[in-house]
Amino acid sequence: MDLKELLGEDLYNQVVEKAGDKKLAVVNDGNWFPKDKFDEVNNTKKRLETDLKERDKQLADLQKAAGDVPALQDQITKLQEDNKAATDKYEADMKELRMNTALKMALSGQAHDPDIVAGLLDKTIIELDDNGAVKGGLDDQLTGLRESKGFLFVPKEEGNTQPTFKGAKPAEGAGAGNPPAPLKGYDAGKSIAEQRNGSEK
């Protein structure tokens, strides 16, 4: 029996109008739940059932192996080897990460693209200190790369480190140089009188 048959057409239309976009489902005990909540609980139940079956299978495998001690020992040895391989991979990844970070910091401001320059370096001879900074093995390699692939590096400024301004030089003559010093006392009056006398001529 669907919801429309259960409620009747008038009541069903009122429920649909009130519910809007929400979908409703009828469950066995007669309670009403939004469909998304029902689906969420149902999916969680299915996932837990799958997990439980997986655990049961693992227990069954261990029980079978418990009767056969050498098989159990082999299984333990394999797990230990897998764990050691995972640990070694983690340590190698962390070492690589520390090396790349140290190189990027050391190359910052020196190379246009630190990643490209770092890829050209022999990382096996580069040493890091306890703080993760480059301790040795980098300078000689950078010197060689500067000579062979200088375009990868920012040019070094030599001598004057003050910024220099380049551009057009102002014309000589009017407006060139510093403005005249302000006149004081009677010099100002004399200057004004000379200007008036000059304009009357």
Side-chain angles (χ1 to χ4, degrees):
M1 174 180 283
D2 68 358
L3 189 59
K4 192 170 188 179
E5 292 173 357
L6 186 66
L7 296 176
E9 192 167 332
D10 291 339
L11 188 55
Y12 174 77
N13 290 335
Q14 291 175 13
V15 169
V16 168
E17 185 178 317
K18 289 279 187 187
D21 292 339
K22 295 180 183 175
K23 295 183 179 180
L24 301 174
V26 178
V27 290
N28 291 339
D29 64 357
N31 291 324
W32 292 86
F33 288 99
K35 181 158 180 11
D36 58 342
K37 292 288 184 195
F38 173 78
D39 289 341
E40 180 182 335
V41 170
N42 197 28
N43 290 336
T44 302
K45 176 184 171 279
K46 288 177 183 174
R47 184 174 42 82
L48 291 174
E49 286 174 351
T50 303
D51 289 349
L52 187 59
K53 286 177 185 173
E54 181 65 28
R55 299 293 178 267
D56 288 344
K57 182 180 179 302
Q58 290 175 351
L59 282 173
D61 291 345
L62 283 175
Q63 285 173 347
K64 288 177 190 174
D68 186 6
V69 175
L72 184 59
Q73 186 60 42
D74 289 345
Q75 197 171 7
I76 290 172
T77 303
K78 183 183 181 314
L79 289 172
Q80 287 173 336
E81 288 171 357
D82 291 348
N83 190 30
K84 183 178 184 313
T87 302
D88 291 346
K89 183 180 184 320
Y90 169 77
E91 288 175 358
D93 289 347
M94 288 305 296
K95 183 177 180 183
E96 178 84 12
L97 179 64
R98 282 194 299 269
M99 176 66 71
N100 288 338
T101 302
L103 287 175
K104 281 184 183 180
M105 291 181 67
L107 294 170
S108 177
Q110 293 187 47
H112 291 295
D113 190 341
D115 291 329
I116 292 175
V117 175
L120 297 172
L121 298 172
D122 181 4
K123 295 176 185 174
T124 59
I125 61 174
I126 296 175
E127 298 175 13
L128 302 180
D129 63 15
D130 294 337
N131 296 327
V134 176
K135 179 167 77 172
L138 177 64
D139 292 336
D140 294 338
Q141 291 187 67
L142 286 182
T143 302
L145 279 176
R146 278 185 193 280
E147 292 171 4
S148 64
K149 298 187 183 330
F151 61 90
L152 292 173
F153 295 91
V154 176
K156 286 188 176 180
E157 298 273 340
E158 294 184 12
N160 184 13
T161 58
Q162 296 296 323
T164 56
F165 299 101
K166 296 179 180 178
K169 186 174 181 181
E172 297 290 332
N178 292 330
L183 300 174
K184 296 182 186 173
Y186 79 97
D187 289 337
K190 180 180 172 186
S191 174
I192 292 171
E194 286 174 356
Q195 286 177 353
R196 283 190 181 165
N197 290 334
S199 64
E200 292 175 359
K201 290 181 183 178

